[in-house]
Structures are given as structure tokens and as C-alpha cells.
């Protein structure tokens, strides 16, 4: 694997390195990222408590470690709450947008989901476009939530439920790990994962009945 080769060369050259956001559990380097699994699990729990039962997950390119972890956390939440098998849309949004849009469109038309979760901001844009083009209203017809999300989510109508990443805190932790590595190059590598905030807004407003 080319990324493994690059990491090996960097370690051999003793260049201080910190992986940020897209972590690799097999890499012996300092890393800082999000608690992706736990955050997605909490999101599923919150949405389930609000009456949603059938989810479509816009998972994207699960070769990306952070997206893969969010997908895994989603399934842990689905299993923990005994939900029916969800619709999962995988793929690279830049290469396969038409297929991904078609899969979500089919799920919405067939009533296979009552809530859509997008695993990133670009994937949210794709999903919101499909929902709008289908003439559906959020949250009256379908709920919607996004991991990471857009700046100023309250400007959307309705305001979007978001798992909020703390980019500044990640950067601060990364700098701290880097300075520690420079001061003590032979120390054992550390991995820091930061808990994310779940910001519940009107796009997943509580349902009075479960469809």
C-alpha cells in the first residue's frame, strides 16, 4: 500500500508527524481525530427517541477511515435499538453522483426511510438536492441529519440537526502532539479522539406518531 510506504519512509527519516482526522489504527504514529463511532451511535439513539425507525445512511466512500467509522457507528446504533435493516448508499460523490442520487430517490419513493443521515457535508448537499427535487418537506415528510455539517446551520430552513466536529480543538491537539514528538522523538505514539457535540434542531423535530 502506497500510504504505508510513505509512512515507513517518514518514520525512517525520523520526521515528526501527526495524522489528523482520517486516522489509521495500524499506523505507529501520533494521531488526533473524532470519536466517529460513538457520535454516530448517539445520533441514531437521539433520532430513534424522536420516533424515527427507518433510516437511509448516505455513507459515501467508506475507504476513507472517518466515513467508514461513521458507518460502523451507525450500524451499532441500529443494532442496539433493534431497528429494521436500513438503506445504505455507498460511493464516491464526485464519481458516482447519479447512482447515489438514484438509490436515495428510490428509497424515498418506496417509503423505505423516514429519516436521512448524511456522513459529510458534500454528501448532505447531494441528499438535500434529492429530497428537494422529490418535492419532500423536512421534517414533515422525512427527517434529515448530517455529520460535520455546514457553517451556520441555523440559516437553513429548517435548521439542520448536526454532529458538530471541533476543528480548532483537533488542530490544538495535533500541535500539542507534534511538539511532544519533537521534544521526545522516541516516545510511544499516542492517539487522541475527541468527543463531538450533537446539536438537535428542527430538521429532526419529534414525530407525534411513528410511521
Amino acid at each position: 500500500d502506497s500510504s504505508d510506504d510513505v509512512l515507513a519512509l517518514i518514520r525512517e527519516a525520523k520526521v515528526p508527524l501527526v495524522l489528523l482526522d482520517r486516522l489509521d489504527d495500524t499506523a505507529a504514529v501520533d494521531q488526533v481525530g473524532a470519536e466517529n463511532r460513538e457520535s454516530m451511535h448517539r445520533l441514531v439513539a437521539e433520532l430513534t427517541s424522536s420516533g424515527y425507525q427507518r433510516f437511509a445512511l448516505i455513507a459515501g466512500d467508506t475507504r476513507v477511515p472517518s466515513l467508514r467509522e461513521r458507518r460502523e457507528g451507525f450500524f451499532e446504533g441500529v443494532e442496539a435499538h433493534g431497528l429494521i435493516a436500513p438503506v445504505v448508499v455507498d460511493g464516491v460523490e464526485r464519481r458516482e453522483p447519479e447512482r447515489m442520487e438514484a438509490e436515495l430517490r428510490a428509497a424515498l419513493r418506496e417509503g423505505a426511510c423516514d429519516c436521512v443521515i448524511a456522513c459529510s457535508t458534500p454528501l448532505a448537499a447531494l441528499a438535500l438536492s434529492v429530497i428537494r427535487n422529490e418535492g419532500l418537506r423536512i421534517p414533515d415528510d422525512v427527517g434529515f441529519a448530517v455529520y460535520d455539517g455546514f457553517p451556520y446551520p441555523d440559516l437553513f430552513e429548517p435548521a439542520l440537526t448536526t454532529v458538530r466536529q471541533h476543528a480548532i480543538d483537533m488542530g490544538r491537539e495535533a500541535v500539542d502532539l507534534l511538539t511532544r514528538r519533537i521534544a521526545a522523538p522516541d516516545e510511544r505514539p499516542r492517539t487522541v479522539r475527541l468527543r463531538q457535540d450533537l446539536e438537535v434542531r428542527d430538521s429532526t423535530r419529534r414525530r407525534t406518531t411513528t410511521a
Side-chain angles (χ1 to χ4, degrees):
D1 182 90
S2 59
S3 61
D4 290 339
D5 293 340
V6 171
L7 289 175
L9 288 172
I10 291 173
R11 286 196 298 270
E12 185 177 340
K14 296 187 176 180
V15 176
L17 171 70
V18 177
L19 293 184
L20 183 62
D21 187 33
R22 297 182 178 185
L23 306 190
D24 183 349
D25 291 335
T26 66
V29 296
D30 296 313
Q31 309 181 76
V32 57
E35 287 283 4
N36 289 300
R37 291 186 185 86
E38 186 268 347
S39 297
M40 188 61 81
H41 194 149
R42 276 193 293 134
L43 176 60
V44 172
E46 169 63 31
L47 297 176
T48 302
S49 72
S50 293
Y52 296 99
Q53 294 289 315
R54 304 186 308 279
F55 294 101
L57 181 74
I58 314 305
D61 185 357
T62 53
R63 297 172 301 176
V64 176
S66 53
L67 295 180
R68 182 170 64 250
E69 290 172 355
R70 292 167 197 173
R71 187 182 192 276
E72 291 167 354
F74 170 77
F75 273 100
E76 289 169 3
V78 166
E79 182 177 358
H81 291 86
L83 303 177
I84 62 174
V87 175
V88 177
V89 179
D90 294 317
V92 183
E93 68 270 11
R94 292 188 300 274
R95 298 179 189 169
E96 306 169 288
E98 293 84 4
R99 179 186 59 78
M100 296 173 69
E101 291 169 0
E103 290 182 12
L104 177 57
R105 187 178 302 112
L108 293 169
R109 290 181 178 179
E110 294 166 7
C113 60
D114 58 16
C115 187
V116 176
I117 301 174
C119 284
S120 72
T121 306
L123 294 169
L126 181 149
L128 288 169
S129 176
V130 173
I131 292 170
R132 181 194 62 190
N133 291 339
E134 287 299 299
L136 300 175
R137 298 167 300 166
I138 300 173
D140 297 330
D141 300 315
V142 63
F144 183 81
V146 55
Y147 197 109
D148 198 11
F150 301 90
Y152 313 112
D154 289 327
L155 294 180
F156 285 79
E157 180 58 44
L160 301 180
T161 291
T162 303
V163 177
R164 173 67 57 205
Q165 295 205 89
H166 296 285
I168 293 176
D169 291 343
M170 279 191 189
R172 186 179 294 116
E173 289 286 348
V175 171
D176 182 60
L177 287 175
L178 186 60
T179 54
R180 286 170 179 260
R181 178 59 50 198
I182 293 170
D186 296 324
E187 271 192 359
R188 186 174 181 176
R190 298 177 58 205
T191 295
V192 176
R193 286 188 179 267
L194 302 179
R195 195 170 192 264
Q196 310 304 289
D197 290 338
L198 175 54
E199 301 173 351
V200 180
R201 299 187 177 89
D202 286 347
S203 65
T204 56
R205 188 170 59 235
R206 182 175 295 275
R207 299 192 136 213
T208 56
T209 60
T210 301

